[in-house]
């Protein structure tokens, strides 16, 4: 692990926090273009686009590369917040259960 407790080598809060933020960033980066195309396609007038692929082509032509990341900052904070809660809760529960199973 890149981020760990220096003295013991065990995973700790900084590792879990960094992992959750990185997971949120990667998720947002990969899903934002798909989400933008889906939203535009679903909310378009009937017959405006023949397919989602054609919608993506029109968006790219009209708005360039940046159009696919419109709204990615709020999405990043939403996904990252969820990841933080989920990963931190999971790790704490895992530690508690692990201690119980070892007889502590």
């Amino acid at each position: 692990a890149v981020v760990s407790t220096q003295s013991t080598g065990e995973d700790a809060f900084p590792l879990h926090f960094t992992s959750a933020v990185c997971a949120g960033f990667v998720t947002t980066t990969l899903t934002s273009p798909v989400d933008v195309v889906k939203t535009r396609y679903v909310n378009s007038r009937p017959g405006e686009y023949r397919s989602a692929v054609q919608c993506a082509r029109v968006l790219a032509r009209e708005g360039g590369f940046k159009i696919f990341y419109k709204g990615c900052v709020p999405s990043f904070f939403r996904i990252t917040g969820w990841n933080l809660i989920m990963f931190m809760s999971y790790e704490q529960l895992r530690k508690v259960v692990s201690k119980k199973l070892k007889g502590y």
Side-chain angles (χ1 to χ4, degrees):
V2 176
V3 180
S4 63
T5 305
Q6 294 293 331
S7 61
T8 63
E10 295 178 12
D11 59 350
F13 176 79
L15 174 66
H16 303 149
F17 182 86
T18 304
S19 297
V21 172
C22 289
F25 177 77
V26 170
T27 301
T28 303
T29 303
L30 294 176
T31 62
S32 187
V34 175
D35 194 38
V36 168
V37 171
K38 176 201 63 117
T39 301
R40 292 285 178 99
Y41 184 66
V42 168
N43 292 325
S44 65
R45 294 183 312 277
E48 186 174 352
Y49 302 112
R50 291 186 308 273
S51 66
V53 174
Q54 195 246 346
C55 177
R57 287 184 183 139
V58 170
L59 287 173
R61 194 174 335 113
E62 292 176 356
F65 178 75
K66 289 172 62 174
I67 194 75
F68 294 108
Y69 290 94
K70 187 174 184 178
C72 73
V73 172
S75 179
F76 169 75
F77 284 115
R78 178 179 47 84
I79 291 170
T80 300
W82 185 88
N83 281 348
L84 283 168
I85 292 168
M86 194 269 302
F87 283 129
M88 302 304 282
S89 300
Y90 170 78
E91 290 299 330
Q92 294 307 312
L93 285 171
R94 187 181 61 81
K95 286 179 184 179
V96 168
V97 170
S98 178
K99 284 182 182 179
K100 292 285 185 187
L101 292 176
K102 289 181 181 178
Y104 287 116

